[in-house]
Each structure stands twice: as structure tokens, then as C-alpha cells.
Amino acid sequence: MEETKMLGTLTELFSDQIRRVLKTSKVTTVVNEDNVYQEGDPDVLAILDEMVEPLLLPGSGLDGLENLEELFEKAQSGKACLLLVEHYSNMDLSFVSLLTRKAGGRGKEIADSIIAMAGMKLNEDNPVVAAFTGAYSKIVIYPSRYLQDADPEKDKAEIMRSNAINRAAMKSLIRHKYKGKLILVFPSGTRFRPWEPDSKKGVREIDSYIRSFDYICFIALNGDVLHVQKTDMMNDAVSKDIVIATVSPVTNSNEFRDKALAAASDDEDKKQAVADAIMNELEKMHIAAEEKRKKLLTV
């Protein structure tokens, strides 16, 4: 088995693809209530696939295609269906999309149906990151954590902007989730950063999603080809690795939420209890899948 090692940074290794994506992308870098829904760009997707696929070592793949196909059938019948995915790097959505498309069956249909919920910083902070995220269909939101230290008076205009964007995003979500689409959410709301343990904690807002969807699949991600750094996202370190996406059986969202609430203590934050139950489920799946991945690494 080829040994995994750091190959360089995104900027160092993919300067040609970055140049081509910036030339190709039509993504907006200023989000407002009129453009929260953004259709994926197949031309950018092709360039991103060109970057990601050579980094995936033999043994990479998707486990549980039959579960995704079952969830997709429910979505096609008019049910609201949600994917809850672990989040380690800015390539996580690429892994889910590419490995699903390569899995056979209805994989390409399923991947094409995914709409990701995305924080607006991906559009506004870095034009290169914005260009790459334009590969996938998404609904852009203004996460509450962006304004956690806001002054109600000094930041009044920005607070109003956040409310307008999020109202539009929720309207867009309602329009799309009953039209055969799979809505993808990272319940931690951010990439896991080892030096910040709380970055793996589920956000309270995820409870609102659980309440408004009919069915869920959890997706654990094991292995990584992109390693988060403390500097700019484009300086994240790149390696080759075995990457496995593991999809859970379809779960009734109300039943999952009721079970999480029943297990919570009387004085516990109920929204956080649901978020914690989601992250616990993903962690269990992650641990189980890592055993398989380690065996493949030793072959």
C-alpha cells in the first residue's frame, strides 16, 4: 500500500486548477437575500474532481449505498430528507459527492440531488474558496456564531442583513426539500480543528433541522486528504489517503429526536441534547469504520 505523506499545500500543488477555477467560476462573492440558493457548476466540479480523485488511495469508497438509495426514494416520493455529515476539511462535500457518484447504482442521481447548507464566509472570505464551493448546489446561511459578539446598536445593519439572508434561506430550503432533493448539513457547523475540541461539538441550531425533516441518514467520514491548518484555508496540507464514507440506515427524524430528548436530564439544554446525540451517533460510526480503514492501510 502506498504510504500517506504530506505532499504540500493546496496553493502549491494545484496552482493550475486554481487559475482555471477562478477563470471558470461564476459564483457570487456577496451574499444577499436574492441569491441564497446557488446552483452547482458542472465545469468547476470537473476541475475539483481532477484534484480530489488522484489523492484517494485504493480501498476508498462509499459504504451503504443502499441506505442512500432508500433515502433518495423517500425524497422522490415527497418526503423531506436530510444528510448529517461529519466535517473535517473543505473537501468533505467533495468526498460525499465523488464517492457517491462512483458507487454505482443510482449514485450519480443521488449526488446530483444534494443541496448543501453553507455558511456565507465560504462565499465572501476568499475568492478561491468561493470559486471551488461553486461546484456544488447550496443554500447559503448567515450562521449565528458570526454575530455572537455583535453590539445591537453598532452592528444593527449587519444583524438586519443576517436576518434577511436567513429568512430567504429558510424559504429556499422549504421550496427545495420537498422536490426530491437531499439536504446536506454539517451538524458541527465548522471543520474539526484538533486544537479547538469544541469545534467537534454539534450546534444547537441543528435541532430545528431535525424537527422539520422526515428522514435522516448519518454519514461518517474516515481518512482525509486535506489537513486543516491555523492559517488561510488555501494553505491546508494535502496528502493521499484511504477515504471511506459510511452511510447509516435511514432513520425517522422524529423518533431520533424523541429518543434524544427522553435521554436528556431535566436541567439540560434540550436543543443541545439533540445536537449532542447526533454527534455521538456520528462518532460511533466513525470509530467502527476506522477499524476497517486501518486494516486496509496495512494490506
Side-chain angles (χ1 to χ4, degrees):
M1 174 64 68
E2 186 175 350
E3 184 179 348
T4 26
K5 60 182 180 181
M6 297 303 165
L7 304 174
T9 68
L10 276 172
T11 302
E12 292 167 346
L13 293 172
F14 299 114
S15 58
D16 176 63
Q17 288 87 348
I18 291 169
R19 177 186 57 79
R20 287 158 53 204
V21 162
L22 285 172
K23 184 177 179 180
T24 302
S25 176
K26 304 174 185 66
V27 71
T28 179
T29 55
V30 178
V31 178
N32 59 50
E33 61 267 36
D34 297 320
N35 60 20
V36 292
Y37 175 72
Q38 299 174 9
E39 190 77 26
D41 186 333
D43 294 328
V44 175
L45 179 62
I47 298 171
L48 195 49
D49 284 350
E50 175 189 314
M51 294 166 57
V52 176
E53 193 160 7
L55 299 174
L56 301 177
L57 292 174
S60 298
L62 182 135
D63 284 347
L65 176 63
E66 69 280 3
N67 298 327
L68 272 185
E69 289 180 329
E70 181 184 345
L71 189 71
F72 186 55
E73 286 288 344
K74 290 183 182 298
Q76 293 283 292
S77 73
K79 300 297 184 181
C81 296
L82 184 65
L83 298 173
L84 295 173
V85 185
E86 286 193 293
H87 200 8
Y88 293 99
S89 84
N90 282 335
M91 282 189 177
D92 291 342
L93 184 53
S94 299
F95 297 150
V96 173
S97 173
L98 180 59
L99 295 177
T100 300
R101 281 181 276 132
K102 290 171 64 70
R106 302 187 71 182
K108 186 179 184 307
E109 279 184 89
I110 293 168
D112 289 345
S113 78
I114 293 173
I115 299 175
M117 304 300 294
M120 59 181 282
K121 283 187 177 182
L122 293 177
N123 278 71
E124 297 194 346
D125 275 14
N126 184 311
V128 179
V129 173
F132 278 112
T133 60
Y136 305 103
S137 295
K138 61 183 183 291
I139 296 172
V140 183
I141 60 172
Y142 199 128
S144 60
R145 68 180 182 279
Y146 291 1
L147 290 173
Q148 61 185 3
D149 297 320
D151 183 295
E153 291 303 320
K154 292 182 180 179
D155 301 310
K156 187 175 181 179
E158 194 64 16
I159 292 170
M160 290 177 65
R161 180 188 180 216
S162 73
N163 290 336
I165 288 172
N166 285 338
R167 281 195 301 269
M170 291 307 103
K171 288 179 182 177
S172 181
L173 176 61
I174 291 168
R175 283 198 302 271
H176 285 95
K177 71 180 182 178
Y178 293 114
K179 293 183 178 179
K181 303 295 185 180
L182 299 181
I183 305 301
L184 184 150
V185 178
F186 295 112
S188 63
T190 186
R191 299 172 297 163
F192 173 57
R193 299 177 294 281
W195 59 90
E196 293 182 22
D198 280 353
S199 61
K200 204 171 188 179
K201 190 177 182 67
V203 296
R204 295 176 73 253
E205 290 87 347
I206 197 65
D207 179 59
S208 299
Y209 287 94
I210 299 296
R211 284 188 298 167
S212 64
F213 279 79
D214 300 308
Y215 295 98
I216 307 164
C217 275
F218 300 89
I219 301 182
L221 295 175
N222 289 72
D224 205 354
V225 302
L226 188 62
H227 307 265
V228 63
Q229 305 296 304
K230 292 184 178 181
T231 56
D232 184 85
M233 289 180 182
M234 295 309 297
N235 288 322
D236 284 354
V238 178
S239 71
K240 294 186 177 184
D241 203 354
I242 294 175
V243 177
I244 298 174
T246 307
V247 186
S248 75
V250 176
T251 301
N252 181 289
S253 58
N254 286 331
E255 291 177 4
F256 179 87
R257 184 172 183 270
D258 288 346
K259 184 176 179 180
L261 291 174
S265 61
D266 291 340
D267 59 350
E268 192 172 352
D269 181 332
K270 300 302 187 289
K271 290 179 180 289
Q272 191 60 54
V274 173
D276 291 346
I278 290 167
M279 300 309 293
N280 289 340
E281 185 68 23
L282 287 169
E283 184 68 12
K284 285 191 295 184
M285 292 173 60
H286 187 93
I287 291 169
E290 189 61 17
E291 291 301 314
K292 173 183 176 178
R293 203 181 76 87
K294 284 180 179 178
K295 289 178 182 177
L296 290 171
L297 284 168
T298 60
V299 173

